Amino acid sequence: MAASPIADPKDPLPLVLVFLSAVTGLVDAVSVLGLGQVFVANMTGNTVFLGFAVGGAPGFEIPRYVAALLAFLVGALAGGWIANAFAHSTRRWWLLTVAAVEAILFWVAAVVAIWYDAGSLSPAPRLFTLIGLTALAMGLRNATVRRLKVPDLTTTVLTLTLTGLAADSSLSGGENKNWRRRIAAVLATFVGAVVGAMLVRTSGLVVPLVITGAVVIVVTLAYSLHPASRLRAGEPDGP
């Protein structure tokens, strides 16, 4: 039987999303530093870069950004389909399913990266395979987090988080609502990016991709052990 629709105030879901924000930093390090300045989590960046490429700016290649955008959309479509399929189930099985798919995509990408040279972005088929797999995973993640409706924790975009941190602060006459999770999300993404950059520079793309998949699985499994994971899949988290 589905759990009560009232969200548990002790629900650790926000903490899970903070960990996934750190994973975004890892993934962005892989894609920007190793896949030719492509974002696979932030489609605003890709859209702007695509505009640069169309405008003839050197160093920006149209096919890479188009591939990332299309793969992300397919991943988001899959995320919506999975969410609808689990609408009458619990968060536990929904999120475990999504985490398993996401982790597999990252681990397959890690295998592909074994025979890939980030310095020369070659061979090209492996470059586009890596862009496709990672963007697919992040599209799936974004669609899932969107359905969870946890304020200020998108795990991939910090613009609104930083805006809320400043606009709702006591300096602007606000109530500082959710300031802890906002700061945590920013710091987590930053730390993930630092660690990701170090790993890419010292060990290539394989290690950060393996770690990314592992973190996704571990934090989701940990959440599945909490009673809050028995909430209905479509039930949003508390404020």
Side-chain angles (χ1 to χ4, degrees), residues 3 8 11-12 92 222-231:
D8 184 349
D11 188 349
R92 174 179 295 166
Y223 179 69
S224 73
L225 300 177
H226 193 277
S229 69
R230 293 196 293 269
L231 284 168

Side-chain angles (χ1 to χ4, degrees), residues 16-212:
V16 171
L17 298 183
V18 168
F19 274 101
L20 293 182
S21 296
V23 167
T24 296
L26 280 172
V27 175
D28 277 343
V30 168
S31 64
V32 174
L33 301 179
L35 302 180
Q37 294 183 321
V38 174
F39 286 104
V40 294
N42 182 356
M43 292 302 111
T44 301
N46 281 334
T47 302
V48 172
F49 285 171
L50 179 60
F52 293 165
V54 172
F60 297 91
E61 301 291 337
I62 292 175
R64 293 201 294 264
Y65 306 118
V66 171
L69 287 163
L70 291 177
F72 185 90
L73 287 172
V74 172
L77 180 66
W81 183 86
I82 293 173
N84 290 330
F86 282 86
H88 300 292
S89 182
T90 62
R91 282 183 183 175
R92 174 179 295 166
W93 296 113
W94 171 37
L95 296 182
L96 282 174
T97 299
V98 171
V101 175
E102 188 178 336
I104 289 170
L105 288 168
F106 284 126
W107 289 335
V108 172
V111 173
V112 173
I114 294 174
W115 298 279
Y116 170 74
D117 180 22
S120 62
L121 304 180
S122 63
R126 292 192 179 275
L127 166 64
F128 283 97
T129 300
L130 287 168
I131 291 173
L133 289 169
T134 51
L136 191 66
M138 296 310 293
L140 175 65
R141 157 96 67 82
N142 272 267
T144 303
V145 173
R146 179 175 178 270
R147 289 293 184 98
L148 287 170
K149 300 178 182 178
V150 181
D152 302 303
L153 288 173
T154 67
T155 77
T156 55
V157 180
L158 295 178
T159 303
L160 290 177
T161 302
L162 288 168
T163 301
L165 188 62
D168 296 341
S169 69
S170 57
L171 294 176
S172 69
E175 299 178 352
N176 281 323
K177 186 177 181 180
N178 293 336
W179 68 270
R180 291 180 180 84
R181 68 170 60 171
R182 288 168 175 166
I183 291 177
V186 173
L187 290 178
T189 304
F190 174 77
V191 171
V194 171
V195 173
M198 294 172 62
L199 289 174
V200 170
R201 290 177 59 248
T202 58
S203 61
L205 306 188
V206 177
V207 173
L209 286 169
V210 170
I211 291 175
T212 295

